[in-house]
Amino acid sequence: MLTLPQVSVTLTQSVAFLIFVAPLCLYVAWNDLRAMKIPTWSTDALAIIFVVVGIFVMPFGEYAWRYSHFFVVLVIAMILNAVGAMGAGDSKFLASAAPFVALEDAFLVLMLLGLGMLVGYVMHRVAGRISAVRNLVPTWQSWQEHKRFPLGFPMGAVLILYLALPLLSQL
């Protein structure tokens, strides 16, 4: 039997956040694969979901503290963007997703993100070589890219997985 890692997200938080976050993350992943862009409105929406939903499902002290996660990750992501390690949309997505992650879960999420990026990269490159798959969406910009990778794909998947862990552990 597979034992899932325990996270600081409660079952209530998991359900409340996933209702809004999962569809948005799926859109971000799809749009980044399609156009190699994460629209600003989607990262703004992700931040707004935390602001609006978080106040109802988190203790206020923890909720308020999580805003510091946004600013710390934003500075780090801006530096990564400045040196060309990631795009601006990726940076904004990471910063907007940061408040959803409890500090004590940061190492787990970073490990999931590293693994997700590796698996996502391999999946994308393999799928791009399968003509039946590639022909389903022949106009995706990400098929044409050889140096850049649509990070919205694994980042969205990791946020969904992290928030879903309390639900999955109930199965």
Side-chain angles (χ1 to χ4, degrees), residues 87-147:
D90 304 324
S91 299
K92 291 182 283 184
F93 183 89
L94 281 178
S96 295
F100 291 94
V101 179
L103 186 57
E104 52 272 14
D105 297 337
F107 182 75
L108 170 67
V109 171
L110 287 172
M111 293 300 104
L112 288 174
L113 198 52
L115 181 62
M117 287 180 184
L118 177 63
V119 170
Y121 179 83
V122 170
M123 284 176 55
H124 181 264
R125 296 306 190 222
V126 168
R129 295 193 185 329
I130 301 170
S131 59
V133 173
R134 194 171 176 136
N135 290 337
L136 289 172
V137 283
T139 60
W140 274 7
Q141 178 65 33
S142 64
W143 296 141
Q144 313 311 317
E145 294 290 336
H146 299 289
K147 292 185 179 184

